[in-house]
Structure formats: structure tokens, C-alpha cells
Amino acid sequence: MSRANKTQTVRSVVAAAARRLQAAGLTYGHGTFNAREEASWLVLHACRISPGDFKSHAGNPVSAAQLKRVETLVGRRIGERIPAAYLTHEAWLGEFRFYVDRRVIVPRSFIAELLGEDIRAFLQGPVRHALDLCTGSGCLAIVMAHAFADAKVDAVDLSTAALAVAKRNVSDYGLRQRVELARSDLFSSLTLRRYDLIVSNPPYVNAAAMGALPDEYRAEPRMALVGGPDGLELVRRILTGARHRLKPKGVLVCEIGHNRRALERAFPKLPFTWLQTSGGNGLVFLLEKDQLPA
């Protein structure tokens, strides 16, 4: 990516950056899945181009100032081994952009793609009150508020640092009147409000996987990842507490990563509905109130 070459385009700079990232042997999974996608993200950010506008801007020339920003971002990505989202301070879930830094896990929940017709098919009425457990950056709470326009959303997290980031995102989307943030260890500090919909993307990395995490994942807050010996420590608490927090026709939606087999062994009598996501159909489950443990 030589600065002397004034004919470089967005497309050619992305290709050059991808080659550097590929050669560096990085780990992906924080919004991108390979070197090409990561390079696109970094270059578009440096050039102030929205991800959705890549095709229409691919042939644009890249200025010396833009190229310098690209080289700084790519150099840090390789040298520091942290997710690109922490370098750009932005992460995307579909069309939604969120501010992020190292106080929160990088948003990537599969639940975001289900908040619409997929989950609406299981609801027996309108969503007036919703709850996001382990909200982190506030991303799922914000997507829920858009998906269910009449809903009031409670969003809780145990981390005060994460809640500060969530507050910024909620404010950026103008949702302070509809999304209420609170510090709580799951349900413990909540009022007795009942919900039509509870969603959660809790920490679910098991002990063995934690020990093998690459640097990019170790850069994230540990408490946002650790799920205990089998990855189900918080999931068990959510399952045993959710029934008392749901309205009669309410539903729980929870992401558990690759722990489906362990979960079904731990709760063999629960009739989990596994929702189809872009990552497969064993990552997110749904249970109606009457299906939850009494």
C-alpha cells in the first residue's frame, strides 16, 4: 500500500490490506469471518464510507490522508491482535451501527437477525415489555426497540463499564424514553415487572474453550465470556428464573453458542425450539413460559 501510488482505488487498497492480514495469521469472528471482510471494514472506515456503499465507491481513488489512516489501522490490527471493532470504535449488526470499546464484548449475537418475523411467529400478542439480559453494548435492546415499536425495553448488565457504553448507544439512537438501563445480576435487582419477551446472549464459553482462546477474544472483557465449567452457569440461572418474569404468553430467547448438546443433557425434559440462524440451528433456543422449569 505505497503512498506514492496516486492511482490506488478503494478496491485495490482493500485487496492489498487483505493480503497483509492474511499473511499475519489473524483470527476473525468479531463481525467479519476472513481477511477480505476485515480489510474491507478497516478501509471503508478509514475512507469514511458506509459498508453498504462499498460497491458504488469501490473505484474511488484513495487520498494520501486516507491511505495513511488505512496503514495505521492495518498495522495496529496486526501488531496488537485486537478485534477491528476496537480500532474503529464501531460494530455493525445488520443495518445497526454501535459504538464499542474494550469495556464491552464486540456485538455479534445471532439473536439480532431473529428479532422480527422469526420471533414474532412465536408470539401470541404484541410486545409491550421486553427484557435484554447481559445487554453489554445495548445492541440487542436497541434492535428490539426498533423491531417492536410499542415496546418498553429493560436492559441489564452486571458491568457498570458496559452500561456506560450502552448508555451512549441508547442515546445515539434517541431511545432513552423507551430503553431503561440498570445494573443487575440477571433478574436479581429488577422490579416485579413481567415481560412479553426476554432475550439474552449471556457468557457461555466453557472452561476448556477459555483456555484456548486466541488473542482477539482475550482482548474482550473476561466476564462477558466466561460461562463456567460447561458454559451453562448463567444459562441455568436464566432458565430457572425466567418463568416468574414472563407474562402468561411470554417467551424466552437465549443464545448458547456451541453448547446445545450440553444443554440438552442438563435439561432433557425441556422442549427447546432451536431457531435457524445464519450460523446454524443449534445456537439459539426459544421456550414459552409454560415450557420453562416451574
Side-chain angles (χ1 to χ4, degrees):
M1 296 187 294
S2 170
R3 298 180 197 175
N5 186 350
K6 297 181 180 181
T7 64
Q8 291 190 87
T9 64
V10 171
R11 183 185 294 107
S12 67
V13 172
V14 167
R19 288 192 293 270
R20 287 184 62 190
L21 296 177
Q22 182 69 35
L26 303 176
T27 297
Y28 307 100
H30 295 86
T32 66
F33 296 98
N34 55 57
R36 175 75 183 193
E37 290 181 2
E38 190 107 340
S40 297
W41 187 355
L42 293 172
V43 172
L44 292 176
H45 177 84
C47 295
R48 309 292 192 265
I49 299 172
S50 174
D53 295 332
F54 174 68
K55 289 185 178 179
S56 60
H57 290 78
N60 289 8
V62 177
S63 69
Q66 290 171 332
L67 192 57
K68 183 176 180 180
R69 290 196 294 267
V70 171
E71 292 182 333
T72 297
L73 288 171
V74 172
R76 290 190 63 194
R77 178 67 181 90
I78 293 171
E80 298 178 33
R81 289 299 203 270
I82 61 176
Y86 292 152
L87 298 174
T88 64
H89 293 301
E90 67 177 9
W92 293 81
L93 282 177
E95 64 187 46
F96 295 92
R97 178 192 176 278
F98 302 100
Y99 171 85
V100 294
D101 59 35
R102 294 183 68 164
R103 291 174 290 178
V104 295
I105 194 171
V106 177
R108 52 185 177 273
S109 175
F110 291 108
I111 293 175
E113 66 191 53
L114 301 172
L115 288 170
E117 295 308 313
D118 295 278
I119 288 177
R120 205 182 300 274
F122 293 91
L123 299 171
Q124 299 182 49
V127 175
R128 302 296 186 192
H129 294 96
L131 171 64
D132 177 20
L133 293 171
C134 308
T135 193
S137 63
C139 56
L140 291 182
I142 289 167
V143 176
M144 270 202 296
H146 282 84
F148 305 103
D150 297 323
K152 293 278 189 178
V153 180
D154 289 343
V156 304
D157 204 287
L158 186 58
S159 168
T160 54
L163 288 170
V165 176
K167 182 178 180 180
R168 174 171 177 166
N169 284 317
V170 169
S171 179
D172 286 347
Y173 277 96
L175 290 170
R176 285 180 294 179
Q177 301 303 312
R178 293 184 52 215
V179 177
E180 183 174 345
L181 299 169
R183 184 176 185 270
S184 181
D185 183 5
L186 298 181
F187 302 105
S188 63
S189 300
L190 292 174
T191 64
L192 296 179
R193 180 179 293 168
R194 299 294 188 267
Y195 299 96
D196 303 293
L197 174 63
I198 297 175
V199 305
S200 184
N201 180 29
Y204 54 66
V205 182
N206 63 43
M210 281 297 301
L213 286 179
D215 291 342
E216 284 85 350
Y217 288 89
R218 292 182 183 278
E220 297 184 293
R222 181 178 173 84
M223 69 178 294
L225 298 172
V226 176
D230 63 356
L232 300 177
E233 186 175 304
L234 273 77
V235 177
R236 286 185 174 88
R237 294 174 55 200
I238 291 169
L239 285 172
T240 56
R243 184 184 182 100
H244 306 292
R245 297 291 182 161
L246 286 169
K247 294 180 184 179
K249 297 180 180 180
V251 300
L252 166 70
V253 177
C254 185
E255 184 165 334
I256 61 160
H258 296 287
N259 294 325
R260 174 175 178 172
R261 187 171 300 176
L263 181 66
E264 291 179 330
R265 282 199 303 263
F267 295 91
K269 295 183 179 180
L270 293 188
F272 297 104
T273 295
W274 295 97
L275 302 177
Q276 182 66 44
T277 73
S278 59
N281 70 347
L283 306 173
V284 178
F285 70 78
L286 180 148
L287 287 170
E288 300 173 5
K289 174 174 180 167
D290 293 341
Q291 297 173 326
L292 287 160

